[in-house]
Amino acid sequence: MVSKDLIEKIKQSVDIVELVSQYVSLQKVGSSYRGLCPFHVEKTPSFFVNPTLKLYHCFGCGASGDAIKFLQEIEHISFQEALERLAKMVGIELKLSTGRSEKDLYVEYLTRVFVEYRKQFEQNKVVVEYVIKRGFSESEAKSYEFGFSPENSRIAQRVARSMSLPNEKALQYGLYKPNGVDLFEGRLIMPIKDENGKIIAFAGRSLDDREPKYLNSPETKFFSKKSVLFMLDRAKKAIKSLDFAVICEGYFDAMAFHRAGVTNAIAVLGTSLTREHVSKLMPLTKNVILVFDNDEAGIKATLRSLKVLVEASFDVAVVKLPEKDPDETYRKRGPEYLKRLLSEALPFEDYLVEVYEKFFNVTSSAGLEKYIGTLRSWAQILLKDKRMDRYERLIEAVSQRTRLSTSQVSEMLRLQTAATTMASKSTLPTEDDYIAYLYITCEKLRNKIDEIDSQLFDEKTRRLISFLREKKDLSELSPELREYAFAVLAKIPEGDPEKMFVDLRKRFARKAVERELSQIDSKLAFCRDDEERGLLLKRRLELVSQLRSLGGDRSGT
């Protein structure tokens, strides 16, 4: 068990801005840093990191926490793993307990099963010949880690028993059926790994094209198709370095690109791209080339994936394949041809215009109206996101296809919406915001701030100051106070804290005088005693004089 003091020492030693910058592009805003949230899809940045608080907070989805929680969430690892990584990063020796999480057990089980599948692959001539017929060399077969589960194999059950894994638990992991036979019997096996290279599922390809041709592990709490990108563990460095990702549909498609030297290729697992997939890509790049299958299902999947990407402000291009998929193109035309297709990818606006033209007769007025109506939703996404360059490109592409002028197309694409006025909340910082800002960022001024009557502060400011005064772990701040703290830090421009405080002390001194004047005025309204009234009026004159010296303009009568 790691002591709380040691955990706090590790958190204080970590530069949280440097840590988060490895995953998110950050820009300095006041005393904080701002970027697009890596935990949800957003178009305008609402994710803030503050080096003083050593916390991050997203005003969009509410994600919030310290360096340990950030690493846990972004890498999908346990608290212990995150703590160990951060300790190593800052050079602090950390002795952790040997207790393992359930995910550790799950990964170990799948890894042991796959070791056996690898042995079976190497020993089975039929399956090796199948892979060679698909164009893989012996070294490639080893590099891409093929395995095999023979007919009637009970490998998964045997490994579970050797690990003393209860049958009920092993069945939940789904690698063998209730009768004990492997789920993937008779299939070529490909490991599905998370972005850290840990095996979290398998894909099985039938050797004789029996249905289903491809079979995935059943979903568990450690594996979900909608959030896993095949080969991301291998591709993420190249994606970040090259600043774009190639996304295709199938396992062999992604491998075809890697074999051709395109190491930033990944694949979805038999589904369209999802918001969860996009959130994995956002820390790496905002540029994507889609290379989905050249059939009706592939076109529909491309359109669905495009929508998710464009709404997330990605720049997207689409490859038109001459064959059914990248794997077939690679085998028939070779690696250089496959790579050349990427340079010929269509900007998504051109792709949309071309694809939708197949569904409508644009030479008729009715067909043209439906065609423009279909494209209008895409135009609205671009207009809402203020991506005028892409919007203009869409107009130009439609104009070339329809022979309408660009002004006609623009008029047809824009939806006439009633103007709405919204009362905008004032974003100007208040005196309380400045006080909270100084209390957070300038510890040497805290004693002077404590001399100001706290009853002059808003209730939220008092609670935040009280929390900070007790020097608790800042990660224990309530969601409400954490949001308030980050809002304050985002509002206040950096400046000389001493000058800020001099001005603030004067302002709160005026507030104190104004408060006492209001109290006296209330008493005078009901006072019937001449002596008491005289004392009140005398005190009022003194306060008015003080107010004038402090820069107030309240008159005394």
Side-chain angles (χ1 to χ4, degrees):
M1 188 73 178
V2 183
S3 71
K4 197 167 183 178
D5 287 345
L6 184 54
I7 292 171
E8 186 61 25
K9 182 181 177 183
I10 292 168
K11 287 196 290 189
Q12 290 303 316
S13 301
V14 171
D15 183 335
I16 192 167
V17 173
E18 184 182 325
L19 172 68
V20 176
S21 293
Q22 294 175 32
Y23 304 88
V24 182
S25 178
L26 296 174
Q27 289 185 322
K28 203 167 192 303
V29 180
S31 59
S32 293
Y33 292 79
R34 181 177 64 191
L36 290 168
C37 181
F39 303 116
H40 83 290
V41 177
E42 63 176 3
K43 300 165 190 173
T44 53
S46 58
F47 179 82
F48 287 80
V49 182
N50 186 266
T52 306
L53 291 173
K54 291 196 173 288
L55 298 173
Y56 66 91
H57 182 80
C58 177
F59 289 92
C61 68
S64 195
D66 55 25
I68 299 171
K69 189 174 180 185
F70 179 83
L71 199 58
Q72 275 186 269
E73 297 294 325
I74 201 78
E75 294 282 7
H76 304 281
I77 57 178
S78 68
F79 178 88
Q80 275 197 348
E81 286 175 303
L83 193 64
E84 191 172 27
R85 281 202 208 178
L86 293 176
K88 189 175 182 182
M89 188 186 300
V90 296
I92 294 176
E93 187 178 354
L94 184 65
K95 293 180 180 178
L96 292 171
S97 67
T98 56
R100 293 185 303 165
S101 66
E102 187 185 349
K103 185 180 178 181
D104 293 334
L105 184 65
Y106 174 81
V107 168
E108 183 185 346
Y109 171 52
L110 267 65
T111 303
R112 288 196 186 189
V113 169
F114 189 64
V115 168
E116 299 302 316
Y117 286 160
R118 285 284 297 143
K119 290 177 184 176
Q120 292 296 324
F121 173 82
E122 291 165 359
Q123 295 166 8
N124 193 293
K125 289 184 180 179
V126 174
V127 72
V128 170
E129 284 175 8
Y130 171 84
V131 170
I132 290 171
K133 280 182 182 178
R134 293 199 68 130
F136 287 86
S137 66
E138 189 176 323
S139 63
E140 285 179 326
K142 187 173 184 179
S143 173
Y144 294 108
E145 301 179 292
F146 292 116
F148 179 62
S149 173
E151 294 286 349
N152 298 313
S153 165
R154 292 174 179 264
I155 288 172
Q157 186 186 58
R158 190 171 69 248
V159 170
R161 287 175 176 171
S162 72
M163 292 177 63
S164 301
L165 191 63
N167 189 58
E168 184 181 345
K169 177 64 71 177
L171 283 171
Q172 287 176 16
Y173 296 160
L175 297 190
Y176 62 88
K177 306 167 195 173
N179 65 1
V181 176
D182 283 3
L183 176 70
F184 297 103
E185 60 166 333
R187 291 177 180 269
L188 178 73
I189 308 295
M190 288 158 284
I192 298 172
K193 299 181 179 181
D194 64 16
E195 55 266 43
N196 299 308
K198 294 181 178 179
I199 299 176
I200 53 171
F202 296 128
R205 170 62 159 93
S206 64
L207 301 182
D208 52 9
D209 288 345
R210 63 180 169 184
E211 294 299 327
K213 190 183 293 186
Y214 287 95
L215 182 66
N216 287 329
S217 292
E219 297 212 345
T220 68
K221 58 184 174 181
F222 308 116
F223 168 64
S224 173
K225 286 193 295 184
K226 69 178 183 179
S227 61
V228 175
L229 290 162
F230 183 65
M231 296 190 83
L232 183 59
D233 60 310
R234 293 185 181 220
K236 62 183 181 181
K237 283 185 180 178
I239 291 171
K240 193 156 190 175
S241 172
L242 297 169
D243 195 22
F244 78 99
V246 176
I247 305 178
C248 40
E249 280 191 72
Y251 307 101
F252 284 100
D253 297 330
M255 283 187 266
F257 276 111
H258 278 256
R259 292 167 72 195
V262 182
T263 56
N264 55 332
I266 51 180
V268 293
L269 306 182
T271 181
S272 303
L273 202 71
T274 65
R275 290 181 179 276
E276 287 81 1
H277 290 140
V278 171
S279 69
K280 292 275 179 75
L281 288 173
M282 289 179 89
L284 303 172
T285 186
K286 293 298 290 286
N287 304 297
V288 163
I289 297 179
L290 291 177
V291 199
F292 283 10
D293 290 2
N294 184 20
D295 55 18
E296 187 178 344
I299 290 170
K300 287 179 179 177
T302 299
L303 291 171
R304 288 194 299 270
S305 301
L306 264 177
K307 191 168 189 296
V308 174
L309 288 164
V310 175
E311 284 182 337
S313 300
F314 273 67
D315 282 325
V316 194
V318 182
V319 166
K320 292 172 63 182
L321 291 166
E323 274 77 32
K324 179 182 180 296
D325 56 39
D327 178 48
E328 190 175 323
T329 303
Y330 175 87
R331 285 188 281 156
K332 285 186 177 180
R333 299 178 185 253
E336 293 307 314
Y337 184 88
L338 186 62
K339 283 194 283 189
R340 192 168 78 242
L341 285 176
L342 295 177
S343 64
E344 298 169 358
L346 289 174
F348 77 87
E349 303 91 343
D350 295 333
Y351 176 81
L352 290 172
V353 167
E354 186 176 312
V355 164
Y356 285 130
E357 190 182 13
K358 295 175 182 177
F359 301 119
F360 305 103
N361 178 14
V362 296
T363 59
S364 70
S365 58
L368 181 60
E369 189 176 334
K370 288 179 181 177
Y371 175 67
I372 296 291
T374 304
L375 289 168
R376 187 176 289 126
S377 63
W378 295 91
Q380 292 306 301
I381 293 171
L382 297 174
L383 285 171
K384 187 178 179 183
D385 202 21
K386 297 180 181 177
R387 300 178 71 191
M388 300 311 295
D389 57 331
R390 309 309 299 237
Y391 175 70
E392 295 295 338
R393 189 177 187 115
L394 178 62
I395 289 174
E396 186 64 37
V398 175
S399 175
Q400 288 175 4
R401 289 279 172 177
T402 61
R403 296 184 182 178
L404 294 169
S405 69
T406 53
S407 59
Q408 285 175 306
V409 174
S410 180
E411 188 177 341
M412 293 173 76
L413 284 176
R414 286 180 184 269
L415 281 175
Q416 298 300 316
T417 55
T420 57
T421 56
M422 293 178 66
S424 60
K425 294 182 180 177
S426 172
T427 57
L428 292 173
T430 65
E431 286 95 343
D432 279 86
D433 292 338
Y434 276 103
I435 282 291
Y437 170 81
L438 290 177
Y439 213 92
I440 292 168
T441 61
C442 194
E443 204 165 330
K444 66 180 181 180
L445 286 175
R446 288 186 177 182
N447 288 337
K448 291 181 180 179
I449 293 172
D450 285 338
E451 291 172 3
I452 299 172
D453 184 353
S454 65
Q455 292 307 307
L456 296 169
F457 303 151
D458 289 342
E459 185 264 343
K460 196 182 288 184
T461 308
R462 285 199 303 273
R463 285 197 289 131
L464 178 62
I465 287 175
S466 176
F467 181 95
L468 294 171
R469 191 184 293 122
E470 293 175 29
K471 297 181 180 178
K472 294 180 183 176
D473 182 348
L474 288 172
S475 63
E476 294 175 8
L477 268 171
S478 69
E480 180 194 15
L481 288 181
R482 187 177 295 174
E483 185 160 330
Y484 172 57
F486 271 90
V488 163
L489 291 166
K491 275 185 188 181
I492 310 291
E494 285 189 292
D496 185 334
E498 295 285 353
K499 287 182 180 178
M500 279 188 199
F501 180 69
V502 168
D503 180 58
L504 280 172
R505 184 159 52 187
K506 190 179 287 187
R507 290 192 199 185
F508 279 100
R510 283 201 300 266
K511 276 192 173 187
V513 173
E514 286 168 349
R515 180 181 61 178
E516 191 176 347
L517 274 169
S518 295
Q519 292 169 350
I520 287 174
D521 287 344
S522 296
K523 290 178 181 178
L524 282 170
F526 299 98
C527 183
R528 296 293 178 262
D529 185 286
D530 290 342
E531 186 179 350
E532 184 183 355
R533 185 176 181 83
L535 291 171
L536 289 171
L537 286 170
K538 183 182 177 184
R539 177 57 181 159
R540 191 181 193 283
L541 286 170
E542 291 171 355
L543 291 171
V544 169
S545 177
Q546 280 185 42
L547 194 60
R548 283 175 177 163
S549 68
L550 291 167
D553 58 359
R554 186 165 177 168
S555 61
T557 54

